[in-house]
Structure formats: C-alpha cells, structure tokens
Amino acid sequence: MKKNSLVNAGGINGLGESLINLNSESFRGLQAIIMARHADQTTAEKLANRIISLRFQMESYLAEEQTDTILPAGYFIEQLLQAASISKKRFAEYIS
C-alpha cells in the first residue's frame, strides 16, 4: 500500500499551482496569528478541532471518486485515538 498523504496535490485552485506565497510576509504574519490562537486554546478546544479535522479528512476521502490509495477505517480510528490520547489497549478493553 502506498504511504498515506493528505496533501492536496492539485493545489488550492485544483490546477497544481499554489495561490499562496508561503514565503511572503503576509503569510508568515497569518501563520503567527494562527499559532498564537492555537497556544491560547484549551485542551478540549484542541481535541474538538482535531476531531473536526479528522471528519473533514474522512469526508474528503469518501468523496473522491478515484483514488490510488486505500485508507482502511482503522487508519481514522487510530488517528482519533491518538488525538484523544487513548491507547489501543484501553480502546480494545472498552469495546470488548
């Protein structure tokens, strides 16, 4: 199986070109604002954001009509467990 990658190879505009200059001063300023906001979030807010991110990743994956990479459901479960700091053993005990 090919290594999983959630990067949008089509770029922002779907043409394979990025519309954002990652080295620009404005982008670095935006990045600093995002990092500062992230630092101010509670653990619960960070977990909620990670879960939302996983939801969007799953929806995006399921919406793809053709894909050369197959992600098993366990991949998303594992990501959720990591985000929630739940060990696989603890999860297995819970569901058994």
Side-chain angles (χ1 to χ4, degrees):
M1 183 184 319
K2 186 172 134 181
K3 184 178 178 186
N4 299 328
S5 175
L6 298 176
V7 175
N8 180 4
I12 293 171
N13 58 6
L15 301 175
E17 300 172 4
S18 175
L19 295 176
I20 299 174
N21 179 354
L22 301 179
N23 297 316
S24 71
E25 188 174 322
S26 60
F27 178 78
R28 284 181 281 166
L30 175 62
Q31 193 174 32
I33 291 168
I34 292 169
M35 295 301 287
R37 174 66 178 109
H38 176 74
D40 290 341
Q41 290 181 331
T42 65
T43 301
E45 289 173 320
K46 289 177 184 178
L47 176 59
N49 288 336
R50 182 68 179 122
I51 291 170
I52 290 169
S53 172
L54 286 169
R55 176 184 170 187
F56 290 146
Q57 290 174 26
M58 285 188 285
E59 288 175 356
S60 177
Y61 174 74
L62 293 172
E64 289 181 23
E65 291 191 23
Q66 294 182 358
T67 181
D68 59 345
T69 303
I70 297 174
L71 295 176
Y75 169 79
F76 294 106
I77 293 170
E78 196 170 328
Q79 295 299 309
L80 179 63
L81 293 176
Q82 286 177 2
S85 299
I86 299 172
S87 71
K88 291 177 188 177
K89 181 177 178 179
R90 184 172 164 211
F91 179 68
E93 290 169 350
Y94 177 77
I95 63 172
S96 64

